[in-house]
Amino acid sequence: MAAMAVQAPRSSKTESYVDNKRKDDIRMANIKAARSVADAVRTSLGPKGMDKMISTASGEVIITNDGATILNKMEVLQPAAKMLVELSKSQDVVAGDGTTTVVVITGAFLKQCQTLLHAGIHPTVASDSLHKTSMKAVEILTAMAVPVELSDRESLVKSASTSLNSKVVSQYSSLLAPLAVDSVLSVLDPAKPDLVDLRDVKIVKKLGGTVDDTELVKGLVFDKKVSHAAGGPTRVENAKIAVIQFQISPPKTDIEQSIVVSDYTQMDRILKEERNYILSMIKKIKATGCNVLLIQKSILRDAVTDLSLHYLAKAKILVIKDVERDDIEFITKTLNCLPIANIEHFRAEKLGYANVVEEVSLGDGKIVKITGIKDMGRTTTVLVRGSNQLVLDEAERSLHDALCVVRCLVNKRFLIAGGGAPEIELSRQLGAWSKVLHGMESFCVKSFAEALEVVPYTLAENAGLNPITIVTELRNRHAQGEINAGINVRKGQITNILEENVVQPLLVSTSAITLAAECVRMILKIDDIVTVR
Amino acid sequence: MITCGVEKLFKDEATEEKGERARMASFVGAMAIADLVKTTLGPKGMDKILQSTGRGHSVTVTNDGATILKSLHIDNPAAKVLIDISKVQDDEVGDGTTSVVVLAGELLREAEKLVGSKIHPMTIISGYRMAADCARRALLDRVKDNKDDAEKFRSDLMRIAMTTLSSKILSQDKEHFAKLAVDAVMRLKGSTNLESIQIIKKAGGSLKDSFLDEGFILDKKIGLGQPKRIENANILVANTAMDTDKVKIYGARVRVDSMAKVAQIEGAEKEKMREKVQKIIGHGINCFVNRQLIYNFPEELFADAGILAIEHADFDGIERLALVTGGEIASTFDNPESVKLGHCKLIEEIMIGEDKLIHFSGVEMGQACTIVLRGASFHVLDEAERSLHDALCVLSQTVNDSRVLLGGGWPEMVMAKAVDELARKTPGKKSHAIEAFSRALIAIPTTIADNAGLDSAELVAQLRAEHHKEHSNAGIDVIIGSVGDMSELGISEAFKVKQAVLLSATEAAEMILRVDEIITCAPRRREDRM
């Protein structure tokens, strides 16, 4: 049956040779474009991978090692190359880590496809075999995986630090890894143990200090100053916090209005009235015992005026203004309070309680910390520090990856070895499996199995090792049954990678393989690019 | 072009093409379109990248003929006719959009040869008509109808769904999706109103994680501090401004002489809003869905009243919601008795992937259901939605017209055989046209085989030999790459789809054949628009 497929393209080619040539050209052009994208990020794979400096159109400079970010900023135009960018985004959404790996694997698959197509294999045959390969690969990976319990904090930390090791901030992995694990575990809802909403982990960046100063805050952090223009308090203990969505400023109606002043005495009266109006509002607030106000930003009018700040300061109320509406949900969830939209509804039961609210100077700026919150919701905040903006951004991205890794483990509680071990094992087992298959399929599966060796090969290459020696050595060790033998980049040799604590979530590996396969199949199936409006 | 001394018949820049040249232009245009989509036909058809020239250069990858044709830049009038028939096919039966264009293209290709050998277009047309009629009767003779046997009918539906899906991106999980589609269509109980089947796309997970859920899912958030779960809900669906606390009187302006009065007006405005909210609450509801924003103040009022308020639901969303819960969209709230409320058993927040959505279950309209699609990327999801839509369309048509045919090139071969016999019996030049029709029909299995990279000449010859026997079930088995028994392989197609393909392709070909002059009007000037 498959033998038929071999002859087939040749016979149909004789009929309309020119037509097929064009299609092959488009396919080859797509593959080429996609491969060149893959080659661009190849060098950033692994713990000794290099970083890329990207200067965006707006003149901003980004230094990163994160595949998804690099591709995202590359602004490629060719449709097939764009698909690779999408691919890395998908991996980011699904697993959060392995964004470079997925692109490198895709590149390797495409390279094999090129050879297969040259040998006269029909694209659909190659595509189907690739699907089978990826199915089998997931099976093999699942068999290799080691189950992990969420109570096993050490394993979680290990896998988070594996992810962090390939980043700029790798020297801080001993600090960031436990931090990531703790923050994810603290937002885990016991009622829904498989789901983690990473939106419950807020990352606040603040320039200054070093990455060492990054900390997990059990509470809230605002990257804002306390509004104390009028000398209000900057530290409040036993805080009663209100989140308000109205403004403490002179009244303003939606109907256009103007106040007509006809003589001097009236002017005084109006000023006095304004004062009384604000004062009465503040009295109502004070009456509930509230001493910290978080005021939502308003586009319609000033949230606070100098006058109201003055009175609030007198009433010893700490004010944080310009809170974004989008953040209100997070804040109210954390503080376990309700937002208040009208002064009339200002009641004590809507307040949140915390031990300390204080303004802290950090580097060149100030932040507000709310800690010791009573009945705190399942949220957490991470305050990231860094000596310059580039490090800070990269630290945030790396931390995000680490958080995702932990999330993956919560979703699918299996660990797998890192350091190229799973890929080499896959390559070996798939190679063996291909011998059981028949015809064309066997040929395709075999070449895709070889393609998977690209990961250890690139790892070794990036680490400055001799890739050929390393890969052949690895193959040898795996053939002898050491399924966890992988590249130890630090020592520059092959060791049992599980003992070296280099582990990653199973989900990262499986999704990398399936997504890469899906993307390659899509590229293979395309035979024309049509320009449309 | 100046004729018979008439100085100028048309405006500047208008062109006219006549006779042979006009016909050539239409043939070439139509065939170019047919060739463009030809490679997407069949289970091993290829995809196309559609690259938009608009902003963002967005990229779509698709296998759906109608989608490709819809988005093309086309100037050739004949090509536009083909695009139109594919669109009509999409609206009417949902599937076979590629087949119809390919068949029309092949009919024209054959017609071109006949015209070349000096056969009058009208003769060709009447030959085509006879052939189409004969082909249709041949199909009617061989249809199967399992309407009375519910179980068999369901398996028919499954087969049709799988056949439709096997040429799409969903082919790997076609059984799963065929089941989804059949379940969804069976819920409709014979109505073809696909609006009550909602498709929600959520990135993440794999295609296999897609599922069918009864009821309705709204991709929105519940307001702050409001109940997350309501049983026996009375729902008011509205489209009203609750965004700012505003009751604006256009052009009005107030002059006051003190701050206190400004405060009073502000208070009055607030009071208005409160009244509005009170009126809404007065409807005896516990769920309020608004198309527009609900700002902080009313949101808090709703929260205080223990009402679940959903803001900023999209237009499509509220229309469907009103439909499935049996309510009406309200925009004034003065007469609570005249507003029709929607009802459902349970509203709750559910999580799909990483997002929170609101699920309305036990809705008034029992047949409503939601299909949640999951997939790796948006490309995949969009294409999956298009594929699933095709399957749903075909199934809902089949529920009404339960006649079923086999697939895999089988119907074309059956028709070709009947048409060939007719050609032999028909005296005169027409028989050439009828013969040509049968050749055009055979082009479809040929294309399917070509796309799969099989030896089409060999396969089609084998197929024809098979069909020479009476009541053969032979078709092309693309997976194995040989001639196989279609009824054993479970490849079926709806009669309605095939009939529509046959008739509209013939009609389109006929229409283009009749043309002997193309007049292109002068492009409208920019100044004219002013």
Side-chain angles (χ1 to χ4, degrees), chain A residues 50-120:
Chain A
M50 291 296 155
D51 295 354
K52 307 269 170 204
M53 186 184 251
I54 304 160
S55 143
T56 59
S58 55
E60 198 190 342
V61 175
I62 298 166
I63 297 178
T64 183
N65 178 293
D66 183 36
T69 315
I70 300 172
L71 290 173
N72 207 2
K73 300 285 176 195
M74 269 183 17
E75 294 186 11
V76 291
L77 277 180
Q78 213 276 345
K82 246 185 183 172
M83 287 171 66
L84 243 70
V85 178
E86 292 283 325
L87 165 76
S88 126
K89 265 189 214 157
S90 301
Q91 172 79 2
D92 200 25
V93 171
V94 176
D97 195 21
T99 48
T100 318
T101 318
V102 69
V103 176
V104 170
I105 292 180
T106 311
F109 279 158
L110 284 173
K111 191 176 165 192
Q112 292 295 340
C113 287
Q114 236 170 350
T115 356
L116 291 177
L117 292 182
H118 275 308

Side-chain angles (χ1 to χ4, degrees), chain A residues 8 82 122 131 199 254 256 258-260 273 277 301 341-342 350 407 515 521 525 527-528 530 532, chain B residues 39 46-49 51 53 57 71-72 172 245 253-254 256 258-259 266 269 300 354 376 451 453:
Chain A
K82 246 185 183 172
H122 195 271
H131 183 248
R199 272 167 296 191
D254 293 316
E256 252 185 277
S258 54
I259 301 174
V260 185
E273 265 174 1
Y277 179 80
R301 59 197 244 199
N342 188 3
K350 290 192 176 176
R407 187 188 63 183
L515 285 175
R521 293 183 63 211
K525 272 194 95 182
D527 69 343
D528 208 350
V530 184
V532 298
Chain B
T39 54
M46 292 291 157
D47 296 355
K48 307 267 173 209
I49 287 187
Q51 189 174 29
T53 46
H57 293 275
S71 31
L72 282 178
Q172 293 303 339
D245 315 343
R253 185 184 172 86
V254 285
V256 288
S258 77
M259 205 53 112
E266 198 195 9
E269 280 173 350
E300 196 192 355
E354 282 170 27
N451 286 347

Side-chain angles (χ1 to χ4, degrees), chain A residues 1 4-5 8-9 11-12 15 23 27 30 77-80 82-83 86 90 93-94 122-125 128 131 135 192 195-197 199 245 250-260 266 269-270 273-274 277 296 300-301 325 328-329 332-333 338-342 344-345 347 350 407 515 518 521-522 524-533, chain B residues 36 39 44-54 56-59 61 63 68 70-73 167 169 172 204-205 208 221 224-225 244-249 252-260 262-263 265-266 269-270 274 293-297 299-301 304 311 351 353-356 376-377 379-380 450-456 480-481:
Chain A
M1 9 173 169
M4 223 161 176
S11 59
S12 61
E15 266 185 344
K23 275 162 205 157
R27 200 169 281 128
N30 280 339
L77 277 180
Q78 213 276 345
K82 246 185 183 172
M83 287 171 66
E86 292 283 325
S90 301
V93 171
V94 176
H122 195 271
T124 50
V125 177
D128 286 351
H131 183 248
M135 291 298 215
K192 294 177 196 153
L195 293 169
V196 181
D197 196 345
R199 272 167 296 191
Q245 297 176 307
K252 189 179 164 201
T253 59
D254 293 316
I255 296 180
E256 252 185 277
Q257 43 99 0
S258 54
I259 301 174
V260 185
Q266 269 188 351
R269 190 167 56 87
I270 287 165
E273 265 174 1
E274 188 185 328
Y277 179 80
Q296 185 183 321
L300 293 171
R301 59 197 244 199
R325 193 184 177 197
I328 294 282
E329 189 175 356
T332 51
K333 193 174 171 192
L338 286 173
I340 304 164
N342 188 3
E344 305 298 328
H345 298 159
R347 290 190 298 270
K350 290 192 176 176
R407 187 188 63 183
L515 285 175
E518 205 165 276
R521 293 183 63 211
M522 218 161 181
L524 275 179
K525 272 194 95 182
I526 290 162
D527 69 343
D528 208 350
I529 297 179
V530 184
T531 318
V532 298
R533 28 176 185 263
Chain B
L36 180 74
T39 54
K44 296 237 172 155
M46 292 291 157
D47 296 355
K48 307 267 173 209
I49 287 187
L50 304 181
Q51 189 174 29
S52 130
T53 46
H57 293 275
S58 61
V59 171
V61 179
N63 177 289
I68 299 170
K70 239 187 314 198
S71 31
L72 282 178
H73 282 297
S167 65
I169 194 168
Q172 293 303 339
K208 241 185 245 151
K221 267 199 208 150
L224 284 177
T244 70
D245 315 343
K246 129 173 30 165
V247 185
K248 219 171 195 172
I249 303 162
R253 185 184 172 86
V254 285
R255 280 169 196 279
V256 288
D257 57 359
S258 77
M259 205 53 112
V262 180
I265 295 169
E266 198 195 9
E269 280 173 350
K270 282 243 163 79
R274 191 196 304 277
L293 284 173
I294 300 177
Y295 214 57
N296 302 332
F297 178 61
E299 184 181 350
E300 196 192 355
L301 291 176
D304 279 352
E311 67 166 9
M351 269 193 99
E354 282 170 27
D355 292 316
K356 282 184 181 150
S377 71
H379 290 308
V380 176
D450 271 341
N451 286 347
L454 303 172
D455 188 345
S456 59
I480 298 179

Side-chain angles (χ1 to χ4, degrees), chain B residues 6 8 34 47 49 59 167 175 208 220 238-239 251-252 260 301 328 356 381 412 472-473 489 506 512 523:
Chain B
V6 180
K8 223 176 176 187
D47 296 355
I49 287 187
V59 171
S167 65
E175 248 166 81
K208 241 185 245 151
K220 284 288 168 264
N239 181 8
L301 291 176
E328 266 172 16
K356 282 184 181 150
L381 282 177
E412 283 79 11
S472 160
N473 287 333
L489 290 167
T506 319
I512 295 171

Side-chain angles (χ1 to χ4, degrees), chain A residues 261-329:
Chain A
V261 181
S262 50
D263 61 58
Y264 284 133
T265 52
Q266 269 188 351
M267 226 167 106
D268 277 349
R269 190 167 56 87
I270 287 165
L271 284 176
K272 219 165 108 195
E273 265 174 1
E274 188 185 328
R275 231 173 284 154
N276 283 338
Y277 179 80
I278 289 169
L279 209 56
S280 73
M281 270 175 126
I282 289 168
K283 268 184 191 150
K284 273 182 200 151
I285 294 170
K286 193 68 195 168
T288 58
C290 164
N291 49 17
V292 177
L293 270 186
L294 306 177
I295 304 177
Q296 185 183 321
K297 202 174 195 168
S298 171
I299 40 164
L300 293 171
R301 59 197 244 199
D302 299 332
V304 280
T305 60
D306 288 346
L307 192 69
S308 57
L309 273 182
H310 173 78
Y311 284 121
L312 284 167
K314 279 241 176 102
K316 298 258 177 297
I317 296 177
L318 188 148
V319 180
I320 301 165
K321 63 175 184 181
D322 292 349
V323 178
E324 299 290 341
R325 193 184 177 197
D326 297 344
D327 292 340
I328 294 282
E329 189 175 356

Side-chain angles (χ1 to χ4, degrees), chain A residues 8-55:
Chain A
R10 216 162 295 144
S11 59
S12 61
K13 234 176 208 170
T14 46
E15 266 185 344
S16 51
Y17 183 73
V18 186
D19 211 6
N20 273 337
K21 178 113 175 48
R22 182 175 129 74
K23 275 162 205 157
D24 281 349
D25 281 350
I26 283 184
R27 200 169 281 128
M28 283 303 162
N30 280 339
I31 292 179
K32 226 174 169 181
R35 276 191 61 200
S36 57
V37 170
D39 282 343
V41 292
R42 216 171 76 102
T43 53
S44 62
L45 186 80
K48 297 247 171 129
M50 291 296 155
D51 295 354
K52 307 269 170 204
M53 186 184 251
I54 304 160
S55 143

